């Protein structure tokens, strides 16, 4: 390694400092007898070429910004120069023979301004900077200034003190692709190819909020919208098309209560809310409408996540709330957010009580995040008067499936509580410039919940209804975050199955239920899974990905080769059995129709997928 340029530059810096001190002291002494004259200043520095090699005997010119005077000096053998006895004000500084732009330097009385200049070889059509007259310099470079100082740290805006694009569930864009004072757009596109290795003949994947069709290219999400903001008034709308527009509403059973088709009314809206920002502490927002929930760590939007298919803690818990939220930021690192909502991922209110809950988010530094979500009081089961027979409102009870112990359940009195907490930690950040490992981070999420009342119990008895789940992920970024590899998974134990995603057998929804998969209290369901995901991210706005997921269930649940669609397609009411010849079951069963048809459900599933996601 050649140390000569480095030694030269160190020596130059020392000489520059000495010259500056002597120059200012000499000028100050010379002017001591004329106190009425302004005390001059100086410009000192080091001249170099574009490769940062020092330039000896280079001519440095300084032109007063108003054209009143000109100064010149030769750099020394080490590239150092000094222009002393300069009246205070703005000066244009350049290296003779360089096509680099002149720099505007402000000279203060009694001080030496340090400026290092790098020369650029003049092009054939551009004269050297020093050959341009003062007037020409001022007209050609009217707004040339020294580089602006780095912005001071933002100590007011919540969570603005660091880079949090590494977080799971958060978009990695550092700034919007386009923004105005009134509107910030949000455009999302998500297309993929999925292959279920059970090879269902009806191409249907069950038990997921991200994977729905096997062996096909599909559009998961096409959304357009954004944020409006003007004089503290806020509004956000994001329209939703693609598979999400059909799959999300079908998992909301609240639409079975009362009149009007809420699933149709809301199905093309992912977010729609408005409110006001109050200048209290570090901010206070009050919003009403439909907004994305914060349960389960992963974002509802796949672009924001470390993997495409999240584990059960996220995939089986809410994606949106409909109601009122308040976001209070008492400090720059803390958010307290209460909710008053219709119910747990619901457009409407199931029974007599609304849902109440909230979030506490704490991010003390760039490398650590903790979030606590709580939901309580809500009654999230259909009750009598929902349009179903007078049987307590459980869709499965409507088709004659008793509870395991035969005890009647009053679903109007069943209350749900749920706690969802997450911890994220970025434990490695590369300081190098190589293409190797950039950073590493891990996340862990745990959920506890249950239903009680009306004959249902949290922890004991045959009508037990509870939820316990954990998921953990570890992510590795490579080559300055160009690539990422994530490995993780989790499990859930959900007796009563009240959070299980109902398989769409014969077109069943959360409202209709199905006789082929009961969701009565006391019925067990234990499932676990693991994912391996690889992402390629050449730009902040696009992600190419591929992923493989293995899932296991202790009861038949995943689609097998025979599929979950009756022989002649969806037949009759989803809450009824279907015969093997495709007809509706009659009063005497399906004895003359070849017996009762059954869906092909398996205990294991492997799904491979690949796709592209875009967010502007």
């Amino acid at each position: 390694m050649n140390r000569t340029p480095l030694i030269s530059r160190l020596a130059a810096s020392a000489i520059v400092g000495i010259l500056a001190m002597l120059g200012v002291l000499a000028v100050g002494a010379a002017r001591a007898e004329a106190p009425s004259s302004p005390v001059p200043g100086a410009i000192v520095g080091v001249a170099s070429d574009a490769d940062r090699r020092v330039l000896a005997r280079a001519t440095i010119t300084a032109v007063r910004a108003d054209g009143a005077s000109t100064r010149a000096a030769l750099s020394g053998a080490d590239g150092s120069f000094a222009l002393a006895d300069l009246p205070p004000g703005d000066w244009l500084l350049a290296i003779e023979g360089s096509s680099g732009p002149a720099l505007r330097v402000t000279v203060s009385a009694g001080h030496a301004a340090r400026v290092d200049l790098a020369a650029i070889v003049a092009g054939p059509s551009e004269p050297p900077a020093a050959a341009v007259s003062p007037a020409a310099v001022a007209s050609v470079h009217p707004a040339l200034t020294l580089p602006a100082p780095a912005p001071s740290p933002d100590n007011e805006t919540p969570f603005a003190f660091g880079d949090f694009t590494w977080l799971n569930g958060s978009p990695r864009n550092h700034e919007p692709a386009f923004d105005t004072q009134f509107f910030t757009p949000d455009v999302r596109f998500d297309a993929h190819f999925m292959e279920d290795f059970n090879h269902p003949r009806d191409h249907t994947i069950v038990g997921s909020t991200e994977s729905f069709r096997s062996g096909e290219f599909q559009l998961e999400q096409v959304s357009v919208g954004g944020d409006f903001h003007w004089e503290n008034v806020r509004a956000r709308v994001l329209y939703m098309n693609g598979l999400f527009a059909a799959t999300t509403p079908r998992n909301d059973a609240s639409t079975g209560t009362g009149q009007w088709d809420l699933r149709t009314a809301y199905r093309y809206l992912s977010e729609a809310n408005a409110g006001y920002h109050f200048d209290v502490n570090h901010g206070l927002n009050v919003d009403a409408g439909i907004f994305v929930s914060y349960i389960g760590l992963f974002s509802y939007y796949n672009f924001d996540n470390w993997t495409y298919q999240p584990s059960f803690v996220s995939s089986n818990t809410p994606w949106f709330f409909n109601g009122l939220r308040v976001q209070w930021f008492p400090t720059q690192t803390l958010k307290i957010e209460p909710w008053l909502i219709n119910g747990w991922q619901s457009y409407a209110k199931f029974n007599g009580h609304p849902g109440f809950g909230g979030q506490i988010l704490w991010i003390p530094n760039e490398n650590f995040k903790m979030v606590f979500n709580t939901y309580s009081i809500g009654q999230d089961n259909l009750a009598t008067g929902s349009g179903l027979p007078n049987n307590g409102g459980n869709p499965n009870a409507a088709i004659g499936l008793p509870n395991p112990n035969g005890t009647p359940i009053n679903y109007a009195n069943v209350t749900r509580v749920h706690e969802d907490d997450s911890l994220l930690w970025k434990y490695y950040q590369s300081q190098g410039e190589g293409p190797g490992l950039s950073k590493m981070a891990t996340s862990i999420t745990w959920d506890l919940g249950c239903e009680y009342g009306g004959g249902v119990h949290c922890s004991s008895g045959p009508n037990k209804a509870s939820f316990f789940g954990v998921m953990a992920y570890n992510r590795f970024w490579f080559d300055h975050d160009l690539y990422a590899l994530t490995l993780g998974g989790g499990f859930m134990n959900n007796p009563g199955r009240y959070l299980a995603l109902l398989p769409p057998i014969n077109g069943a929804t959360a409202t209709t239920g199905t006789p082929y998969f009961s969701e009565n209290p006391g019925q067990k369901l234990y499932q676990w899974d693991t994912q391996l995901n690889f992402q390629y991210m050449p730009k902040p706005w696009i992600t190419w990905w591929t992923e493989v997921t293995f899932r296991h269930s202790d009861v038949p649940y995943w689609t097998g080769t025979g599929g979950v669609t009756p022989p002649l397609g969806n037949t009759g009411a989803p809450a009824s059995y279907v015969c093997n010849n495709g007809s509706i079951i009659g009063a005497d069963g399906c004895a003359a129709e070849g017996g009762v048809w059954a869906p092909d459900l398996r205990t294991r599933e492997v799904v491979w997928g690949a796709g592209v996601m875009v967010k502007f």
Side-chain angles (χ1 to χ4, degrees), residues 172-173 303 481-482 536-544 613:
R172 69 176 189 277
N173 314 93
F303 181 92
D481 302 342
L482 181 62
Y536 170 58
M537 302 164 287
K539 299 290 182 182
W541 328 110
I542 188 169
T543 299
W544 297 90
M613 300 177 292

Side-chain angles (χ1 to χ4, degrees), residues 517-538:
F517 189 84
S518 172
E519 293 181 302
N520 288 306
Q523 294 189 294
K524 67 176 184 177
L525 182 66
Y526 178 86
Q527 298 175 328
W528 65 270
D529 63 358
T530 184
Q531 292 85 34
L532 178 63
N533 178 283
F534 176 79
Q535 294 183 347
Y536 170 58
M537 302 164 287

Side-chain angles (χ1 to χ4, degrees), residues 465-538:
S466 65
F467 185 96
F468 175 63
V470 175
M471 64 180 183
Y473 290 88
N474 204 85
R475 184 169 174 90
F476 308 87
W477 289 261
F478 301 91
D479 196 6
H480 305 286
D481 302 342
L482 181 62
Y483 310 97
L485 183 71
T486 303
L487 174 65
F491 71 88
M492 76 166 185
N493 187 26
N494 186 200
R497 306 178 182 178
Y498 66 90
L499 284 184
L501 298 171
L502 188 75
I505 302 168
N506 193 28
T509 69
T511 303
T512 66
T514 174
Y516 296 102
F517 189 84
S518 172
E519 293 181 302
N520 288 306
Q523 294 189 294
K524 67 176 184 177
L525 182 66
Y526 178 86
Q527 298 175 328
W528 65 270
D529 63 358
T530 184
Q531 292 85 34
L532 178 63
N533 178 283
F534 176 79
Q535 294 183 347
Y536 170 58
M537 302 164 287

Side-chain angles (χ1 to χ4, degrees), residues 158 232 234 275-287 325-330 335-338:
N232 288 28
R234 304 151 36 88
Y276 193 80
H277 172 81
F278 297 89
D279 295 322
V280 175
N281 301 131
H282 288 257
L284 179 69
N285 303 324
V286 181
D287 304 308
R325 73 176 179 190
V326 177
Q327 297 175 318
W328 174 39
F329 302 89
K335 179 180 73 169
I336 299 174
E337 179 176 311

